[in-house]
Amino acid sequence: MQLIECPYCGPREEVEFHYGGQAHVSYPEDPASLSDEKWAEYLFVRDNTRGPFAERWVHALGCRRWFNAIRDTATYRFHRVYRLDEQKPAMS
Amino acid sequence: MSSNENLGADGAAPYRLPTGGRIDRNTTLRFAFGGRTLTGHPGDTLASALLAHGVHRTGTSIKLGRPRGIAAAWAEDPNSLVQVEEPFPEPMLLATTIELTDGLAAHGIPGQGRLADVPDSARYDARHVHADLLVVGAGPTGLVAALTAARAGARVVLIDEQSEAGGALLGTDDSIDGGPALDWVRRVTAELAEFPEVLHLQRTTAFGHFDDGFVLAVERRTDHLGAAAPRNVSRQRVWRVRARRVLVAAGAHERPVVFSDNDRPGVMLAGGARTFLHRYGVLAGRAAVVFTTDDSAYAAAVDLSDAGVEVRAIVDARPEAPGEWLSACASRRIPVRTGQVVTGTDGVERVTAALVAPLDAAVSGEPERVDCDLLLVSGGWNPAVHLFSQAGGTLRYNAALGAFVPNGALDRTTAAGAAAGVFDLAGCLADGRRAAAAVFDDLGVTVAGEESRVTADDGPARTPSAVLWRVPDTGTTDRSTQFVDLQRDATVADIARAVDAGMRTVEHIKRYTTIGTAHDQGKTSGVIASGITAELLGRPIDDLGTTTFRPPYTPVAFAALAGRNRGSLFDPERTTAVHAWHLARGAVWEDVGQWKRPRYYPQPGEDMETAVLRECAAVRGGVGILDGSTLGKIDVQGPDAAAFLDLLYTNMMSSLKVGSIRYGVMCRTDGMVLDDGTVLRLGQDRFLVYTTTGGAAGVLEWMEDWLQTEWPHLRVHVTSVTEQWATFPVVGPRSRDVVAAVTGLDTSKEAFPFMTWQDTRISNRSGHDASTPRFARRGRPAPDQDVRVRVARVSFSGELAFEVNVDAWHAPAVWERLVAAGEPYGITPYGTETMHVLRAEKAYPIIGQDTDGTVTPQDLGMSWVVSKKKPDFLGRRSFARDHNNRPDRKHLVGLLPVDRTVVLAEGSQIVEGPTLPEPPVPMLGHVTSSYRSAELDRSFALALVKGGRTRIGQTVHVPVAGELVPVEITEPVLVDPEGARRDG
């Protein structure tokens, strides 16, 4: 069982966290102006990266706060975590 | 030689030495094995006690039915699987790891045993522990490492699976610091016990190594006490260790060499026989042949000879014997045959002879028989890398050792000593100290002071081992008796068949032959299988590697893994404030998530169907009461609460007036229904959101997600108040009278309209009916003070209804008062089943039953709940997608079986005609809810049907008990479609 570093609580066991999919996929400014295709892209299309990947996580059974993480999808290792108000770090 | 020979009438153990070993000869334990009553001593294992009586054979092999006997002294033994019957039945334990207890009863099994047919009353539990350094193995390496770390002030956990510390030292007569090694062990463990931050656990097996220094270990706390085990102590305990660094000092397993008929009882690993001698004072035989490729078996031969065993030959496959050992052998008249191998054995129940022949380019000629009752084998040693490898450590092949060793270290994990391929005692001691020091370097801690050096006399210098996986074929070799995995009865012939079938990797060969998949997970067979495969393929073993090491290292009982999480503690049970009342009323329970909810309240002689018909009729004809406390409740507060809910719900919430209630639907961004429920506006900045019982946690997380990630500018806070509020719908035409009587509110149509709420206070002294609550929770005061009650006029049944909300503390009393006030009207408590029927008659959907994540509000016929005015809300854009407007989307409709008595099965598929066409049969949809209706006096159902709303009045078919029965598609609302009752 991995330890995940919650930016607010520190390292906690992974069962306390829920996964939220790819990070930095913003809700469109004006959904009504999007074509069906563009809207479907927002809804359904995500990267399927092998290697470092920016993801959303929530400390669901802890502080209930969302944060982002760079995690390697091949090794499962978390490279770093960052708050929502922090810049996306370099992917490594 | 029979295994019964020499057994005296008094049960004396003829193979037990008068002195030596770590057993208590002053105490005699009686035990039964295979129907015979035998004796042993504290400190024995079942295996050592059997061997003391000359019993080698413990069982029969699983496929071929061949006799099998004790082949090693600990967990690497592939053979001695037994079924324990007393003190408690347990299958598939190894005689070599069962500590002998008085009254133990066991018998051998052919591979599989049987589980107890009575409940296990023993306790199992779990503990967590955190450490700077976890040391796995309390042999010389682990002890040195643990002591070094402890002296440096580290929090150390030292875990070892044997009954006492010492590891391999327990099976030798080695010296440390000029004295017996076990004296040194005693000094080290005594010093470790002085450190408050050191946890030292024996009889504890680290069986799994996971991410980030997480190691699971199982401690056998009372097994060694047998029937005397105290009931108040857990039998086994799982330790969940989280360590900053892990040192694997788990030692090594001796490796056999494969030859024909190598599975007979009496064929044993050389180190095993040496352990039986030194640790248990038991001779594994009288006349031994030792077959080796390695020096370590010479120590076994010399020790056994000194103890009285006639060693008739050391058969060394190497061309030259180790010179350092030759004089020791000569002085004991042990013949050493170099350049020779054992090609086979004789014997049935027990080995009677070893067949010995020269090892040339090919083994040829007639082998020589050397009679013996014990054939010791050593093909070198395999480091016990299991825990290192489980954590992701890679291995490399060391050709000199003929073994796979850890390839460097992991971030948190190192192996040391024999587990790292260091096989001499002095080397192990040095490696343990080095490993501990490296950990502190790594953690940035300086080790204070110079550690005292430990020295060991390690005997003669070593001569390089030969690597021999199996004895080469002679002209007459039968590979089908050359056993590689004895537990699986898998042989060299099986590997050859796999290779011939085209397998080229050890993982494929493992699965094809089953080698390494049995109880022992290939402890003695895995590396040999790789070696033999490499030979057959003509490739170097380095290329092939080993199969993957997976937890558990040794088998762990499910009971231990479950710990206390059994029965009612398996999963938390959530109960409402009036649970005791339901229980006393004889409610039948339904599990809704973790909640216990009354499903119905049967009266004597009633089954569910009759009880539910009675409850339904009572509600629609008079008044009923439901415990709806499990509904999710979320308090939404803040200046932007209304704007937030407008974004979250499909309909408008900001226009809701304080004091009013609105039903709302939430959708995901793809437009599919996520949850539904009512929203009470408590104030300008405050709403109380009701969710479904099952959706409560998910909706809260959904709200937090949007508030934190997309709408952080909204000044809103949300919190769950599900547990704080009890909710009691009082439902039916007479609900008005009951609620008025208890609350004193004017519940008339004019004063209390539908979809409004009112707060009030009630008191025992107010003159209302005030029966004493019989089921008030223990220690709770009677409600003689003002109790705040919120009454909401909402309906999930289509009837006139009022939901009485009260804090959980006062809930039992208020519930009782409602029931008492309803007595004149025959108030009937009803459960979830009746609730479901009543709402289905009104086509109120249950999210998750009538919907499945592919259903929009429009599909449910609820376009009216989707705002046309709001510029955006979650799901809005999706409603304009072409896909969401296809005419063949599935719509929620009613189904009326033509035969009014037929109740359709929920989940049934719906097809067009009365006969099935050739497959594939077009599926029109499925039944989502189906019941018998008291109000309609017939069966009915809800269903999702393709283009359903355009098919009202048509007949389709549903399979019932193998027949296709006709059903009519109807409007979904079957009772009071105008809503006159609800609004009355």
Side-chain angles (χ1 to χ4, degrees), chain B residues 513-533:
Chain B
T513 61
T514 73
I515 288 171
T517 62
H519 182 278
D520 69 348
Q521 290 285 290
K523 287 186 180 60
T524 52
S525 60
V527 172
I528 288 176
S530 289
I532 294 172
T533 302

Side-chain angles (χ1 to χ4, degrees), chain A residues 3 27 36 64 66 77, chain B residues 212 704-705 708 872 877-878:
Chain A
L3 293 175
Y27 188 77
D36 270 12
R64 278 188 3 215
W66 285 87
R77 306 308 302 173
Chain B
D212 295 332
E704 290 280 15
D705 187 350
Q708 291 178 36
D872 197 25
R877 174 62 185 83
S878 291

Side-chain angles (χ1 to χ4, degrees), chain B residues 115-312:
Chain B
L115 292 169
D117 50 12
V118 293
D120 184 355
S121 60
R123 284 190 189 192
Y124 300 84
D125 62 11
R127 282 191 65 180
H128 293 255
V129 62
H130 292 258
D132 295 319
L133 176 66
L134 167 66
V135 180
V136 178
T141 308
L143 287 171
V144 165
L147 188 61
T148 305
R151 284 175 177 171
R155 179 177 286 188
V156 179
V157 174
L158 172 63
I159 280 177
D160 185 271
E161 59 179 341
Q162 308 245 13
S163 57
E164 57 179 319
L169 299 174
L170 296 165
T172 68
D173 59 354
D174 289 327
S175 299
I176 292 180
D177 285 348
L182 293 179
D183 289 351
W184 173 82
V185 170
R186 196 175 306 118
R187 290 197 302 275
V188 172
T189 54
E191 184 176 343
L192 286 173
E194 298 296 314
F195 292 101
E197 292 294 333
V198 172
L199 175 67
H200 174 193
L201 298 167
Q202 290 294 145
R203 296 191 173 93
T204 305
T205 304
F207 63 84
H209 188 179
F210 307 90
D211 296 302
D212 295 332
F214 189 55
V215 173
L216 292 181
V218 62
E219 180 186 9
R220 293 166 292 278
R221 304 182 72 206
T222 67
D223 287 352
H224 63 289
L225 302 174
R231 306 287 301 164
N232 62 333
V233 174
S234 62
R235 179 186 175 218
Q236 294 181 1
R237 167 173 289 170
V238 169
W239 287 88
R240 302 161 174 271
V241 186
R242 182 70 79 169
R244 297 172 75 189
R245 294 293 181 275
V246 177
L247 179 65
V248 178
H253 296 138
E254 199 166 19
R255 182 172 67 225
V257 180
V258 176
F259 48 85
S260 297
D261 296 314
N262 57 335
D263 64 329
R264 299 197 197 286
V267 179
M268 184 181 285
L269 291 169
R274 196 176 179 213
T275 297
F276 284 120
L277 168 65
H278 288 296
R279 185 166 178 188
Y280 305 104
V282 169
L283 298 182
R286 301 274 187 227
V289 170
V290 180
F291 174 29
T292 188
T293 66
D294 178 73
D295 284 7
S296 66
Y298 283 80
V302 165
D303 289 356
L304 262 63
S305 174
D306 290 346
V309 176
E310 184 188 343
V311 180
R312 292 187 173 159

